[in-house]
């Protein structure tokens, strides 16, 4: 509790806000490990600050994206020590936050809009080995084109599902054009 409070105070949050953020992040403790609660809480709070979203909304988006893509735990396996796991989660998360922020800065789409769209298709895109940066760029492009967020997410979900499962030979056809899927 002291560590969580200290993190929150360092980022300008009251103790109760920090505890609420930690409670939300506890949803991932089974996946990330119980010893990463403070790291995950800090990342979630930073994501909220960077994106301009409320902390709980930012954390929910981050948790959803993690559940679909496992971006936080890339490079972590059963042989990874607790400290290495914490460092890897921190590094992976900051890399993704930087990618999302860069795309937000270069488009009219906000990180809130981008992550809303991404959370509708990220698991299907992961099946085709798509990067989070590309997912975010596709989302921003559709938003900039005036596409509603929900429709954009559903369209991308269907596209990636067809590619990932090779429905009606879609993946084969794209690969025949020389594009690796």
């Amino acid at each position: 509790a002291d560590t969580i409070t200290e993190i929150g105070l360092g980022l300008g949050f009251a103790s109760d806000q920090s505890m609420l953020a930690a409670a939300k992040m506890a949803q991932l403790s089974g996946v990330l490990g119980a010893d990463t609660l403070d790291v995950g809480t800090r990342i979630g709070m930073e994501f909220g600050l960077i994106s301009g979203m409320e902390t709980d909304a930012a954390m929910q988006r981050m948790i959803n994206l993690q559940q679909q893509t496992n971006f936080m735990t890339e490079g972590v396996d059963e042989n990874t020590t607790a400290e290495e796991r914490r460092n890897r989660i921190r590094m992976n998360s900051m890399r993704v936050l930087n990618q999302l922020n860069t795309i937000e800065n270069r488009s009219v789409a906000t990180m809130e809009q981008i992550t809303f769209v991404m959370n509708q298709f990220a698991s299907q895109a992961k099946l085709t080995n798509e990067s989070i940066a590309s997912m975010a760029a596709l989302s921003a492009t559709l938003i900039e084109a005036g596409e509603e967020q929900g429709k954009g997410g559903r369209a991308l979900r269907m596209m990636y599902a067809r590619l990932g499962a090779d429905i009606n030979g879609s993946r084969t056809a794209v690969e025949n054009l020389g594009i690796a899927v």
Side-chain angles (χ1 to χ4, degrees), residues 20-159:
L20 288 172
K24 180 66 92 177
M25 189 49 62
Q27 293 177 355
L28 282 179
S29 65
V31 174
L32 301 180
D35 58 337
T36 61
L37 183 63
D38 59 330
V39 172
T41 301
R42 179 181 198 87
I43 292 165
M45 294 172 95
E46 289 169 342
F47 182 48
L49 292 171
I50 291 168
S51 67
M53 286 187 271
E54 292 294 324
T55 302
D56 66 329
M59 293 181 96
Q60 189 62 53
R61 297 277 172 89
M62 187 178 71
I63 289 167
N64 290 346
L65 197 56
Q66 162 60 21
Q67 290 171 324
Q68 293 183 66
T69 66
N70 296 316
F71 76 91
M72 296 174 97
T73 54
E74 277 181 25
V76 175
D77 60 26
E78 62 276 351
N79 298 322
T80 306
T81 67
E83 190 58 32
E84 289 171 333
R85 183 173 54 249
R86 293 164 57 82
N87 288 335
R88 178 64 65 174
I89 289 168
R90 186 179 297 111
M91 183 180 71
N92 290 342
S93 298
M94 289 301 111
R95 177 181 43 80
V96 167
L97 288 179
N98 186 46
Q99 290 171 349
L100 293 172
N101 192 47
T102 298
I103 291 166
E104 178 185 51
N105 290 342
R106 294 180 181 171
S107 74
V108 297
T110 66
M111 204 178 300
E112 184 172 11
Q113 292 171 316
I114 292 167
T115 55
F116 179 86
V117 173
M118 287 176 66
N119 278 326
Q120 294 184 45
F121 73 90
S123 61
Q124 288 82 11
K126 182 73 174 169
L127 291 173
T128 65
N129 295 318
E130 188 69 87
S131 71
I132 289 181
S134 292
M135 291 181 216
L138 286 168
S139 299
T141 300
L142 286 174
I143 292 165
E144 287 176 344
E147 193 64 57
E148 290 178 30
Q149 296 168 52
K151 288 180 182 177
R154 286 188 297 277
L156 289 167
R157 179 176 56 227
M158 291 306 302
M159 179 187 81

